[in-house]
Amino acid sequence: DLIVAPKAEVLIDSTELGVGAYYRYNQAPSAMLTFTSAIGDVDLFGEGVVQYGSDKTFVVEESSVYSLETYDDKLFFKATLGASYMWNHEESDFSISASGQYYYNGEGYDDPTILTDGMGAVFVASSIASEDLAVNDLMESSKHYGAANLTVTLVEDLSFGVFWLGNFNDLSGMLSPSISWQATDYVSLGFSLPWNYGD
C-alpha cells in the first residue's frame, strides 16, 4: 500500500524545473521532468515521463491472429506541452483567456483501429467478457491528443466559453460551448452543450 514519489524543483529566473519519480509495488515505475515558464504574456508548461513497463494489457495482431501482451521491461514515453494566455481590458471587465495543450501517449497504438475493426473488435469483446482485458486497458488507445479552451468574459458576472478535446489519430473528439453567470456571491449558473464527433 506504500507509494514513493519524491520530487525536487528549482527556479531559474522565471522558469521552474522539476524532476521526480514514482514507485508502487506491482506497478510500472516512472520518472518525470516538468517545466513552467513564460514568453512575454504567454505561460508555457510541459511534462515528460519515462515509464519502465506498463500496467496495461495490449491487443496485438500478427498474420491476422490476435492475442494479448503485457510489457514489464519495455520503456514507454509520454509527454505534454501547453500554453496559456490571458488579456484584460483596462477600463472594463472584458477579458479573454485561452489555453492549448498537446499530449503524446506512448502507451497508445500506432493504429488504434485494431480495437474496433472486424475481428479485432470481436477479439476485444470476448477478452473483456472473459476478464482477460479490462476496460481501462482500452482507455487512451491513440498516441496523439490535443485540447484547447477559450473563455470570454463580457462583464464581471457573465462569460462564454468553448472547450475542445480531440484525438488526432482518428480525428474524433468533443466540442463543448458553454455560458456561465455568477448570480450572487454564492450562486452561479452554467450551461454547456457537449458535442461528440467522429468514431
Side-chain angles (χ1 to χ4, degrees), residues 138-196:
L138 306 176
M139 301 294 287
E140 296 180 5
S141 59
S142 296
K143 284 196 171 182
H144 304 279
Y145 295 91
N149 190 64
L150 175 67
T151 302
V152 177
T153 300
L154 299 179
V155 292
E156 183 180 5
D157 301 327
L158 183 65
S159 61
F160 298 88
V162 60
F163 173 72
W164 169 77
L165 180 65
N167 180 338
F168 291 134
N169 283 91
D170 63 6
L171 301 180
S172 66
M174 180 192 71
L175 192 65
S176 180
S178 63
I179 181 173
S180 62
W181 175 50
Q182 187 74 35
T184 71
D185 289 341
Y186 305 102
V187 178
S188 62
L189 302 174
F191 175 77
S192 65
L193 191 64
W195 172 59
N196 297 316

Side-chain angles (χ1 to χ4, degrees), residues 58-69 71 114 120 123:
F58 294 85
V59 177
V60 295
E61 185 248 337
E62 187 173 338
S63 302
S64 299
V65 176
Y66 293 86
S67 61
L68 299 177
E69 187 73 51
Y71 301 101
I114 187 176
F123 178 80

Side-chain angles (χ1 to χ4, degrees), residues 5-175:
K7 183 181 181 184
E9 296 173 330
V10 61
L11 185 64
I12 305 171
D13 292 329
S14 62
T15 300
E16 183 180 79
L17 299 175
V19 60
Y22 174 92
Y23 174 79
R24 184 178 185 179
Y25 181 70
N26 272 346
Q27 287 188 359
S30 58
M32 70 172 185
L33 180 67
T34 64
F35 86 94
T36 58
S37 189
I39 299 177
D41 293 332
V42 178
D43 293 324
L44 303 174
F45 58 92
E47 180 177 308
V49 175
V50 176
Q51 186 174 294
Y52 184 66
S54 175
D55 301 319
K56 296 175 66 172
T57 298
F58 294 85
V59 177
V60 295
E61 185 248 337
E62 187 173 338
S63 302
S64 299
V65 176
Y66 293 86
S67 61
L68 299 177
E69 187 73 51
T70 57
Y71 301 101
D72 296 325
D73 55 1
K74 177 180 177 181
L75 289 178
F76 291 89
F77 178 70
K78 300 177 182 181
T80 188
L81 182 65
S84 63
Y85 172 79
M86 185 169 187
W87 178 82
N88 293 294
H89 190 269
E90 294 180 359
E91 299 177 1
S92 70
D93 294 323
F94 183 79
S95 67
I96 297 175
S97 174
S99 62
Q101 186 172 355
Y102 167 75
Y103 171 49
Y104 172 77
N105 174 32
E107 288 185 292
Y109 292 85
D110 290 319
D111 182 9
T113 59
I114 187 176
L115 305 175
T116 57
D117 287 353
M119 292 305 297
V122 174
F123 178 80
V124 167
S126 63
S127 298
I128 292 175
S130 62
E131 298 185 353
D132 295 324
L133 192 66
V135 174
N136 287 344
D137 295 327
L138 306 176
M139 301 294 287
E140 296 180 5
S141 59
S142 296
K143 284 196 171 182
H144 304 279
Y145 295 91
N149 190 64
L150 175 67
T151 302
V152 177
T153 300
L154 299 179
V155 292
E156 183 180 5
D157 301 327
L158 183 65
S159 61
F160 298 88
V162 60
F163 173 72
W164 169 77
L165 180 65
N167 180 338
F168 291 134
N169 283 91
D170 63 6
L171 301 180
S172 66
M174 180 192 71
L175 192 65

